[in-house]
């Protein structure tokens, strides 16, 4: 059914996506300080997944692939898919191709939650920062939503302004924490704000992957309603859509997705802006296609950025958020120029 939505000259997208995914997964499993061939990486991953063939894999290869590279690869796919889809939903909801998931303040709130624990309570434990980041993201989103909602109706312009205000407030609070932080806490905070997949673990994947699956299912169910909303709120209401409820649910689901992503990897920018816009240019605005392809594109972009982060400055490793920013900023400038000439 989905393939039928594509015009015949766009059917090449499916095999291209499958081929790129396989290629990037293999590169991700074999990239890093320890030189491991693609065949060895694939054998180790298959042995871990199927439970067979461990004897044919060197112990150090099995350890590196099973404990570091495979979780990191799966985390890149899950987080990239979350960010790509949430970006597509935000752009559809606000009917603005320059919107991204950070527009509702969730990333700023998550950064503040993480900063509080990194600076004030650095010995709280390995799970404290992700939990605090998730809680901060949801709290900031709830505040933005409450400021923009009156009598059960949410004003999109007010929501945008509230998001800007909350982001500015949390930025000031993070600046204060940065000022009082010691050298170690300051470094940890700086690295967290630049985003990284280096700390990916199976325990985190147990939360991130199911969240990505559930949110993908929920967004896909709202695809037709988002298509109607592109015509305007009044037209969507005439088609029987509860616009206020749709806004509320999609904003909260997007906040959940971005909050989980930021809690797992830190702040990784521009995926939610760049990927949906590129997909829309290829296949059009139909959210039945736009949402799954944005998920796939987000996963591929983050996988490619993470491979670059591990190899561009080898043997050192760059924060992956820097790589996505280097990709996203030129694209954002091009978007602004296109918007100016429309």
């Amino acid at each position: 059914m989905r393939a039928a939505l594509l015009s015949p000259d766009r059917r090449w997208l499916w095999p291209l996506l499958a081929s790129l995914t396989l290629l990037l997964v293999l590169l991700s499993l074999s990239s890093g300080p320890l030189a491991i061939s693609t065949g060895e990486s694939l054998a180790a991953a298959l042995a871990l997944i199927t439970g067979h063939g461990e004897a044919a894999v060197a112990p150090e290869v099995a350890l590196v692939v099973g404990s570091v590279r495979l979780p990191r690869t799966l985390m890149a796919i899950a987080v990239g898919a979350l960010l790509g889809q949430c970006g597509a939903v935000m752009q559809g909801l606000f009917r603005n191709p320059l919107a991204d998931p950070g527009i509702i303040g969730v990333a700023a709130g998550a950064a503040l939650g993480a900063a509080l624990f990194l600076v004030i309570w650095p010995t709280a434990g390995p799970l404290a920062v992700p939990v605090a980041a998730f809680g901060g993201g949801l709290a900031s989103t709830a505040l933005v939503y409450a400021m923009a909602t009156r009598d059960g109706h949410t004003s999109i312009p007010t929501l945008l302004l509230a998001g800007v205000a909350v982001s500015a407030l949390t930025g000031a609070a993070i600046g204060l924490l940065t000022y009082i932080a010691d050298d170690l806490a300051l470094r940890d905070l700086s690295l967290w704000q630049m985003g990284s997949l280096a700390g990916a673990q199976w325990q985190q994947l147990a939360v991130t992957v199911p969240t990505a699956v559930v949110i993908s299912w929920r967004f896909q169910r709202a695809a037709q309603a988002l298509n109607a909303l592109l015509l305007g709120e009044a037209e969507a209401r005439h088609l029987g859509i509860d616009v206020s409820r749709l806004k509320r649910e999609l904003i909260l689901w997007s906040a959940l997705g971005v909050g989980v992503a930021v809690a797992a990897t830190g702040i990784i920018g521009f995926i939610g802006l760049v990927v949906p816009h590129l997909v829309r240019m290829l296949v059009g605005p139909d959210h039945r296609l736009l949402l799954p392809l944005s998920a796939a594109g987000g996963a591929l972009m983050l996988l490619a950025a993470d491979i670059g982060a591990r190899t561009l400055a080898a043997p050192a490793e760059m924060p992956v958020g820097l790589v996505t920013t280097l990709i996203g900023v030129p694209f954002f400038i091009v978007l602004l120029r296109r918007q100016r000439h429309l």
Side-chain angles (χ1 to χ4, degrees):
M1 176 65 182
R2 285 178 184 167
L5 296 174
L6 280 174
S7 60
D9 60 338
R10 291 288 187 270
R11 299 284 172 83
W12 51 267
L13 276 175
W14 300 118
L16 176 63
L17 285 174
S19 301
L20 282 176
T21 301
L22 178 60
L23 174 63
L24 290 177
V25 166
L26 292 176
L27 285 175
S28 180
L29 292 176
S30 57
S31 298
L34 178 63
I36 302 176
S37 69
T38 302
E40 289 177 316
S41 301
L42 182 59
L46 291 175
L48 180 65
I49 294 171
T50 63
H52 301 289
E54 297 95 333
V57 180
E60 65 274 12
V61 172
L63 178 63
V64 170
V65 172
S67 300
V68 179
R69 295 186 186 175
L70 184 57
R72 184 169 184 154
T73 300
L74 296 176
M75 183 66 75
I77 292 172
V79 169
L82 279 171
L83 296 177
Q85 285 189 101
C86 290
V89 168
M90 289 294 101
Q91 291 176 9
L93 194 61
F94 297 132
R95 300 190 296 280
N96 187 337
L98 298 181
D100 79 330
I103 206 167
I104 54 177
V106 59
L112 178 58
L116 285 171
F117 274 79
L118 287 171
V119 175
I120 296 177
W121 197 5
T123 60
L127 294 178
V129 172
V131 170
F134 178 68
L138 289 188
S140 64
T141 303
L143 177 60
V144 168
Y145 184 77
M147 293 170 64
T149 302
R150 183 176 181 181
D151 299 329
H153 298 287
T154 304
S155 168
I156 294 298
T158 305
L159 187 77
L160 298 178
L161 293 174
V164 171
V166 169
S167 296
L169 180 62
T170 55
I174 293 172
L176 177 62
L177 291 170
T178 301
Y179 178 74
I180 65 174
D182 59 29
D183 291 342
L184 180 59
L186 183 60
R187 176 173 174 78
D188 289 341
L189 178 57
S190 298
L191 290 175
W192 191 88
Q193 287 183 292
M194 289 186 285
S196 175
L197 293 162
Q201 299 176 356
W202 291 107
Q203 296 92 327
Q204 293 175 316
L205 284 167
V207 175
T208 309
V209 171
T211 301
V213 171
V214 171
I215 286 179
S216 297
W217 168 80
R218 180 62 188 89
F219 282 166
Q220 200 62 36
R221 288 189 60 194
Q224 293 282 34
L226 281 169
N227 286 343
L229 194 60
L230 293 177
L231 302 173
E233 292 189 13
E235 288 78 2
R237 289 191 181 96
H238 285 310
L239 292 173
I241 296 171
D242 188 339
V243 174
S244 297
R245 180 179 178 182
L246 179 68
K247 290 179 186 176
R248 179 172 62 251
E249 290 186 356
L250 292 183
I251 288 170
L252 292 177
W253 280 105
S254 296
L256 174 63
V258 176
V260 168
V262 172
T265 62
I267 298 175
I268 299 175
F270 286 98
I271 289 179
L273 171 65
V274 171
V275 171
H277 197 84
L278 281 176
V279 173
R280 191 178 292 106
M281 291 169 61
L282 284 173
V283 301
D286 189 343
H287 285 84
R288 292 175 296 171
L289 269 175
L290 180 63
L291 289 170
L293 288 177
S294 293
L300 291 175
M301 180 177 174
L302 189 51
L303 265 177
D306 187 48
I307 294 169
R310 282 183 269 170
T311 57
L312 291 175
E317 180 177 318
M318 295 174 61
V320 70
L322 291 183
V323 180
T324 59
T325 300
L326 290 173
I327 297 172
V329 167
F331 186 84
F332 186 70
I333 292 172
V334 172
L335 284 183
L336 289 177
R337 289 178 61 86
R338 286 171 57 89
Q339 290 290 311
R340 188 179 64 181
H341 292 298
L342 289 179

